Amino acid sequence: MERPRHQGMAKNTYMRWRLPLVCLLWEVAMIVLFGVFVRFSPEADAHWEEEKKEMNLTSDIENDFYFRYPSFQDVHVMIFVGFGFLMTFLKRYGFSAVGFNFLLAAFGIQWALLMQGWFHSFKSGKILIGVENLINADFCVGSVCIAFGAILGKTSPIQLLVMTLFQVTLFSVNEYILLNLLHVKDAGGSMTIHTFGAYFGLTVTRILYRPNLEQSKDKQGSVYHSDLFAMIGTLYLWMYWPSFNSAISEHGDAQHRAAINTYCSLAACVLSTMAFSSMLQKKGKLDMVHIQNATLAGGVAVGTSAEMMLTPYGSLIVGFVSGIVSTVGYVYLTPFLESRLHIQDTCGIHNLHAMPGLIGGIVGAITAAAATEDVYGKEGFIKAFDFTGAYQTRTPSVQGGFQAAGIVVSLLMAFAGGGLVGAILKLPVWGDAASENCFEDDIYWEVPEDEESDVYHMHNPDKPVSP
């Protein structure tokens, strides 16, 4: 019988029975819950022909699928390729970065369809899902991918699945409070996705603080090819971020405006990031960590206000500022958080998602409070903020106040939820690696022979070196 690898270590990382058991049981649970609750929406159901007649539609092109699916494709690529490859910068953790991101996202989208469905599309005892539900599920999982960045390299796949289960649940509650009860606008998720996901992840990694993580310091860096792989993730995220921020906006001017605002913000962010990356290095050389991450901060920071009348030059300002803030964060704040507050943020999500997310929430609140009918037009003003029904008497200043309240609620949910989940993940039953074995693919993956010989042999003395 094969001996579990690394069984001599202080922690048991043997996954042969634990991981299959969790994956299979949870997937069976998903099948049962989908069978009981989930059905196709009218636009995806075979009764669409009758639905068309009732809605006086003459063509299938009016089906929401044809409006939303291109955006869904872009967002889907961002979640599975963008986030996955962005985290491959660690020299010995590429399999885990892409593979575990794949695992948690695949489970998370199923649970998100259920949780968000119960809150937003539950009718007559059933959850009705269409293409917009798929986009929203990806958004939800995006917040989990962000939190994963904080604990990258320090957790087992079972811990990640447990975190996903709880975080998707908490995300759905927070989203419902903000969008349905407070009636805030957050098209690109600066508050619901980035602020919540980042501070949730930072709280979890603080609870899971490892005082002996210095023992694996040699594995926390990158090598030339791992940084190139990470740039693949960066470029996919950067190119598709306009789709991310506009994916669920109203058809027409709002969606068009969200894409333009994001496009401009991202472009400005690259220049300010490059400038400060060079400026803050003693030799004036660019740091690849900044280019991989801070160049994306513009997409985060413009998320809430993306579909508002921020204007193209306003978007450039937001992107310019967020690039500076993010780059400065990587240089000064990340070391401070680790040394003083014991927050071990592997990917620097505080700089890419947390601070730009807060900037996005603040910009959204200011832009909403400054909105006028002269700028939007009478009908456009009502449509942009959905000032109808119970909200028809709401003023821009009041809307700005509720937007600001959304930031506070997201932070409170993140801190409380992250603390609870962190405490659960700290239990010694999940198969996480010892500190000296963190950031190491070889703990949970079969690594190709040549890689084991050249890179991993020193951590697995039972395997002979290849000649």
Side-chain angles (χ1 to χ4, degrees), residues 83 139-151 163 167-168 170-171 174 186 189-205 300 345 349-350 352-355 357 410-411 413-415 417-418:
F83 279 111
F139 281 173
C140 179
V141 167
S143 77
V144 183
C145 296
I146 292 167
F148 176 38
I151 58 176
M163 184 185 80
Q167 189 176 352
V168 167
L170 293 167
F171 175 95
N174 183 60
D186 193 27
S190 292
M191 295 182 287
T192 54
I193 300 171
H194 300 284
T195 299
F196 171 77
Y199 283 105
F200 180 94
L202 291 169
T203 305
V204 170
T205 196
V300 177
D345 181 8
I349 66 168
H350 182 257
L352 172 54
H353 298 282
M355 291 191 296
S410 293
L411 288 172
M413 288 289 291
F415 291 139

Side-chain angles (χ1 to χ4, degrees), residues 73-344:
Q73 285 180 304
D74 293 350
V75 173
H76 215 46
V77 168
M78 290 177 71
I79 299 301
F80 287 90
V81 178
F83 279 111
F85 275 90
L86 182 64
M87 291 183 277
T88 59
F89 67 95
L90 292 170
K91 60 179 131 182
R92 299 176 184 170
Y93 208 67
F95 284 12
S96 300
V98 176
F100 291 160
N101 184 79
F102 195 6
L103 173 65
L104 69 84
F107 167 65
I109 57 177
Q110 297 176 72
W111 184 230
L113 285 172
L114 289 166
M115 284 302 307
Q116 292 177 312
W118 283 318
F119 279 113
H120 301 291
S121 57
F122 192 65
K123 298 178 181 178
S124 302
K126 302 298 179 184
I127 297 170
L128 305 181
I129 65 169
V131 67
E132 189 169 341
N133 299 81
L134 306 186
I135 296 172
N136 281 315
D138 276 356
F139 281 173
C140 179
V141 167
S143 77
V144 183
C145 296
I146 292 167
F148 176 38
I151 58 176
L152 182 71
K154 300 172 291 187
T155 48
S156 72
I158 296 178
Q159 283 178 305
L160 294 174
L161 286 170
V162 172
M163 184 185 80
T164 302
L165 178 72
F166 283 99
Q167 189 176 352
V168 167
T169 304
L170 293 167
F171 175 95
S172 302
V173 173
N174 183 60
E175 181 186 53
Y176 179 78
I177 293 172
L178 265 64
L179 302 187
N180 293 71
L181 301 184
L182 300 181
H183 195 65
V184 306
K185 306 300 287 185
D186 193 27
S190 292
M191 295 182 287
T192 54
I193 300 171
H194 300 284
T195 299
F196 171 77
Y199 283 105
F200 180 94
L202 291 169
T203 305
V204 170
T205 196
R206 175 61 186 88
I207 300 297
L208 298 180
Y209 173 69
R210 290 173 176 264
N212 298 319
L213 197 61
E214 284 289 325
Q215 295 175 359
S216 56
K217 191 73 174 178
D218 61 311
K219 292 172 282 186
Q220 294 184 43
S222 63
V223 291
Y224 194 81
H225 70 268
S226 67
D227 271 335
L228 281 177
F229 272 111
M231 273 303 295
I232 294 173
T234 298
L235 292 173
Y236 269 106
L237 291 169
W238 195 90
M239 289 188 299
Y240 289 144
W241 217 295
S243 294
F244 188 93
N245 283 354
S246 64
I248 58 171
S249 296
E250 290 289 333
H251 301 323
D253 63 289
Q255 196 166 42
H256 199 163
R257 191 163 54 245
I260 293 172
N261 282 332
T262 308
Y263 183 96
C264 293
S265 183
L266 285 165
C269 187
V270 173
L271 272 73
S272 60
T273 297
M274 291 280 189
F276 272 75
S277 180
S278 175
M279 187 187 306
L280 297 175
Q281 302 298 314
K282 290 182 179 180
K283 295 183 179 181
K285 295 183 178 181
L286 297 170
D287 189 327
M288 201 58 165
V289 172
H290 308 155
I291 310 309
Q292 289 164 357
N293 296 280
T295 52
L296 301 171
V300 177
V302 80
T304 297
S305 58
E307 62 182 11
M308 301 180 190
M309 289 290 286
L310 182 60
T311 72
Y313 82 89
S315 303
L316 291 174
I317 294 172
V318 172
F320 183 79
V321 171
S322 60
I324 296 171
V325 170
S326 183
T327 306
V328 170
Y330 275 102
V331 176
Y332 297 111
L333 282 183
T334 296
F336 174 83
L337 292 177
E338 182 166 356
S339 61
R340 300 296 179 87
L341 302 183
H342 293 169
I343 297 175
Q344 297 161 326

Side-chain angles (χ1 to χ4, degrees), residues 426-447:
K426 202 173 179 67
L427 297 173
V429 296
W430 308 117
D432 54 313
S435 292
E436 63 267 24
N437 290 322
C438 287
F439 314 108
E440 184 76 80
D441 271 338
D442 196 32
I443 303 298
Y444 301 112
W445 295 84
E446 287 290 344
V447 179

Side-chain angles (χ1 to χ4, degrees), residues 23-99:
C23 288
L24 295 176
L25 285 179
W26 286 14
E27 188 54 42
V28 168
M30 292 298 104
I31 292 171
V32 172
L33 289 171
F34 269 64
V36 173
F37 291 107
V38 179
R39 300 293 184 270
F40 292 123
S41 70
E43 290 179 292
D45 193 83
H47 293 86
W48 166 242
E49 292 300 322
E50 289 87 345
E51 188 76 15
K52 275 198 303 184
K53 294 176 183 177
E54 291 180 11
M55 298 174 65
N56 293 320
L57 301 177
T58 58
S59 172
D60 284 332
I61 201 68
E62 298 296 324
N63 191 303
D64 200 41
F65 175 87
Y66 297 101
F67 290 104
R68 302 289 185 190
Y69 192 74
S71 295
F72 164 70
Q73 285 180 304
D74 293 350
V75 173
H76 215 46
V77 168
M78 290 177 71
I79 299 301
F80 287 90
V81 178
F83 279 111
F85 275 90
L86 182 64
M87 291 183 277
T88 59
F89 67 95
L90 292 170
K91 60 179 131 182
R92 299 176 184 170
Y93 208 67
F95 284 12
S96 300
V98 176

